Amino acid sequence: MSTANRKNERITIPDLVARKGATPIVCLTAYTKPIAELVDQHVDLVLVGDSLGMVLYGMNSTIGVTLEMMIAHGQAVARGSKRAAFLVDMPFGSYEESPRQAFRNCSRVMKETGCQGIKLEGGTEMAETIDFLTSRGIPVLAHVGLRPQSINTVGGFRTQGREKADWSAIIADAVAVAEAGAFATVLEAVAEPLAREITGRVPNLTIGIGASAQCDGQILVTEDLFGLGSWSPKFVKRYAETGKVIDEAVRLYAGEVRERRFPGPEQTYGMKPEPPENRS
Ligand code: KIV
């Protein structure tokens, strides 16, 4: 049955997989119920990304994000999203130790949030774990190229594959996770020709963020697309300047409170009319 025939059902992972090389898959992050409600009708996949540690909590990396934070935000997003495929990111330290640790924590995330699969970072070194998870019913979205959870070994948020000498390791990662069964792979901050090359080579879907329009889909952090925050990485297109809209709304509110113009008659409650016997 096509996705169009199943209007009230969620898009499934096989629905997405069937779109390799066809219409690009639209993905966005969501961390809260109101944002999930706003994006759900427009996207094919909503990801509760561990980027929430930086975007919502002001951490300077994603390392401090916990499983409990991901589950709480996953549950919030589940309440707001009904149609898009729904995945939750595994935080640093919750899956790298062994395939069994990964299965224990990923299955907990799926049970407690109702998500359809998980995302984890890593290439060749995670292939065994991805095989373990996917062969036991856990769909995996892999993540290669720039891996924010590895910034302490890499030394910072750096674009990947801008020199040909670096290509073979990144291609090996993308091929390894695809062969291990990842249904899709995020390619983050990867030089455009390399992202195109990987997309043509691997059998699974590629989802670009700072990669290439030729990937099988694109993802952005929704707050970046909204234009919240004064700075954006090169790969972000700010489709709105919501930060400016909020700033203006708060400025107007503050002025009206100080001038006693808010609340006005429309926002205040009068008394109920008194019963006739009490009237003089
Ligand atoms: O954590 C996140 O939000 C992500 C996506 C941007 C891919 O990893």
Side-chain angles (χ1 to χ4, degrees):
M1 200 188 294
S2 77
T3 19
N5 292 336
R6 299 189 332 234
K7 265 195 181 147
N8 298 321
E9 289 176 34
R10 262 194 202 285
I11 295 171
T12 66
I13 304 300
D15 290 334
L16 297 177
V17 168
R19 285 170 57 182
K20 174 83 188 169
T23 324
I25 294 165
V26 182
C27 317
L28 279 176
T29 60
Y31 315 131
T32 62
K33 178 176 182 271
I35 298 295
E37 279 172 348
L38 284 172
V39 305
D40 191 58
Q41 285 310 306
H42 300 287
V43 303
D44 302 305
L45 185 153
V46 58
L47 171 73
V48 186
D50 68 343
S51 51
L52 62 79
M54 299 174 76
V55 177
L56 287 190
Y57 291 87
M59 298 173 169
N60 57 16
S61 79
T62 54
I63 303 295
V65 175
T66 65
L67 202 55
E68 284 66 32
M69 288 162 78
M70 296 311 299
I71 290 172
H73 285 280
Q75 289 170 340
V77 168
R79 291 179 201 115
S81 142
K82 295 185 173 36
R83 189 194 140 271
F86 163 43
L87 300 184
V88 175
D89 218 353
M90 297 303 290
F92 179 68
S94 68
Y95 62 93
E96 301 91 331
E97 206 176 300
S98 67
R100 283 172 186 277
Q101 181 215 23
F103 187 84
R104 193 166 50 251
N105 287 327
C106 295
S107 58
R108 178 175 166 211
V109 167
M110 288 180 75
K111 281 173 195 282
E112 294 185 26
T113 65
C115 70
Q116 293 153 291
I118 59 85
K119 177 170 86 60
L120 54 78
E121 294 182 14
T124 48
E125 78 289 359
M126 290 310 298
E128 186 193 352
T129 295
I130 293 171
D131 177 52
F132 192 89
L133 296 174
T134 54
S135 57
R136 287 164 178 77
I138 300 188
V140 174
L141 170 59
H143 184 151
V144 307
L146 192 165
R147 304 182 213 160
Q149 293 177 7
S150 298
I151 54 151
N152 288 314
T153 44
V154 179
F157 296 97
R158 302 226 167 86
T159 314
Q160 306 289 305
R162 296 190 77 191
E163 289 173 29
K164 270 264 164 128
D166 301 330
W167 278 33
S168 61
I170 302 168
I171 293 173
D173 281 340
V175 169
V177 296
E179 284 176 352
F183 76 91
T185 304
V186 169
L187 305 179
E188 178 163 355
V190 168
E192 198 279 337
L194 173 57
R196 217 173 340 122
E197 168 80 17
I198 292 172
T199 301
R201 250 195 219 208
V202 294
N204 69 348
L205 302 163
T206 59
I207 308 293
I209 173 162
S212 166
Q214 299 313 312
C215 288
D216 299 301
Q218 301 295 327
I219 188 161
L220 279 178
V221 167
T222 298
E223 282 73 0
D224 286 346
L225 168 155
F226 282 172
L228 285 170
S230 50
W231 179 84
S232 302
K234 174 181 167 60
F235 60 72
V236 167
K237 182 165 177 186
R238 296 165 71 102
Y239 284 85
E241 287 301 331
T242 314
K244 288 189 185 143
V245 174
I246 294 172
D247 182 72
E248 178 60 4
V250 175
R251 192 187 67 77
L252 289 172
Y253 166 73
E256 291 195 3
V257 169
R258 289 187 182 114
E259 290 163 14
R260 297 194 189 283
R261 288 194 291 122
F262 179 84
E266 302 86 353
Q267 293 91 28
T268 46
Y269 300 99
M271 298 293 288
K272 282 187 180 164
E274 282 188 23
E277 64 272 21
N278 290 350
R279 289 196 192 135
S280 53

